[in-house]
């Protein structure tokens, strides 16, 4: 029996945001697309969408083209269009409450103030769906969080970023292949 999964990476559209911390969700789904040998080629329901196959499952990758705060418009429309069971939805996004490099996969939960997740929870009418939080750390000093998340990664972070994105892609693909419990057990740990 083939299952269909929808993996939505969150971020902001536009070149000026492409390499910012807030767009690590986009970067992670780009890494998954690259692994599956597929490219984002079509617009659907206010999102860039592509699909491929992984170990006998259909995988739909999504990057909303709304701004972060309206991510729910695209994600909820696509979940309904493809009739995705919420257990097969995975939302990948940045989290300032986790240190850079740390991943946290959960089967459900609140938005913890992340505006893209707030929008998705509001549009779907539930918090009961899996998510993968990718740590970007807190701003140093008195820098406001909104300014921090829209900054590009620092030089040291950029050296480590490819490893973080590979790990996030591994976590998402493990979720598809082996389920959320295995993915949580394998990836919810502090970096070495």
């Amino acid at each position: 029996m083939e299952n269909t999964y929808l993996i939505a990476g969150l971020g902001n559209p536009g070149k000026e945001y492409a390499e910012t911390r807030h767009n690590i969700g986009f970067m992670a789904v780009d890494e998954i697309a690259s692994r599956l040998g597929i490219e984002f080629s079509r617009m659907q329901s206010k999102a860039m969408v592509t699909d491929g196959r992984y170990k006998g499952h259909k995988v739909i990758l999504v990057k909303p083209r709304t701004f972060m705060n309206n991510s729910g418009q695209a994600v909820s429309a696509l979940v309904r269009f493809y009739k995705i069971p919420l257990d097969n939805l995975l939302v990948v996004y940045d989290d300032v409450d986790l240190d850079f490099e740390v991943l946290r996969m959960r089967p459900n939960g609140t938005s913890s103030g992340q505006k893209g997740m707030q929008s998705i929870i509001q549009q779907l009418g539930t918090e009961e769906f899996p998510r993968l939080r990718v740590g970007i750390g807190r701003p140093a000093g008195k820098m406001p969080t909104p300014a921090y998340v829209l900054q590009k990664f620092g030089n040291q972070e950029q050296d480590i970023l490819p490893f973080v994105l590979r790990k996030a892609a591994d976590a998402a693909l493990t979720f598809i292949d082996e389920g959320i419990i295995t993915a949580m057990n394998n990836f919810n740990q502090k970096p070495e």
Side-chain angles (χ1 to χ4, degrees), residues 15-183:
K15 281 193 173 60
E16 67 273 34
Y17 299 109
E19 294 168 17
T20 62
R21 291 183 174 93
H22 221 18
N23 276 32
I24 203 162
F26 278 7
M27 297 174 205
V29 294
D30 284 338
E31 174 68 23
I32 297 165
S34 153
R35 294 262 186 102
L36 301 183
I38 55 180
E39 289 180 10
F40 285 89
S41 54
R42 69 181 191 272
M43 277 290 288
Q44 182 181 348
S45 301
K46 300 184 184 173
M48 289 299 296
V49 178
T50 185
D51 55 79
R53 304 193 61 71
Y54 181 70
K55 296 196 174 178
H57 302 291
K58 182 174 182 178
V59 181
I60 301 163
L61 300 178
V62 172
K63 295 193 291 187
R65 303 309 284 168
T66 59
F67 280 89
M68 177 69 84
N69 300 2
N70 295 316
S71 300
Q73 293 174 7
V75 174
S76 65
L78 290 163
V79 163
R80 284 192 288 274
F81 181 83
Y82 289 106
K83 299 179 174 61
I84 304 292
L86 290 184
D87 288 348
N88 290 9
L89 166 66
L90 181 67
V91 180
V92 185
Y93 61 100
D94 63 289
D95 191 327
V96 295
D97 292 325
L98 293 176
D99 292 339
F100 181 62
E101 282 189 76
V102 175
L103 301 181
R104 281 286 179 278
M105 189 171 283
R106 291 278 182 263
N108 54 32
T110 67
S111 69
S112 300
Q114 212 277 6
K115 302 277 195 276
M117 273 305 276
Q118 259 172 347
S119 170
I120 293 170
I121 289 167
Q122 201 172 10
Q123 294 277 338
L124 291 175
T126 182
E127 297 176 343
E128 299 296 317
F129 58 89
R131 70 279 318 269
L132 175 61
R133 293 157 39 214
V134 183
I136 58 168
R138 283 219 159 264
K142 294 191 184 327
M143 180 185 283
T145 302
Y148 173 75
V149 300
L150 294 176
Q151 274 190 338
K152 291 188 181 341
F153 287 97
N155 288 341
Q156 279 183 308
E157 291 170 321
Q158 283 182 1
D159 291 342
I160 302 167
L161 189 58
F163 164 76
V164 174
L165 296 175
R166 283 197 298 273
K167 205 165 68 164
D170 289 343
L173 294 173
T174 300
F175 161 74
I176 290 168
D177 187 39
E178 300 178 54
I180 192 154
I181 300 299
T182 302

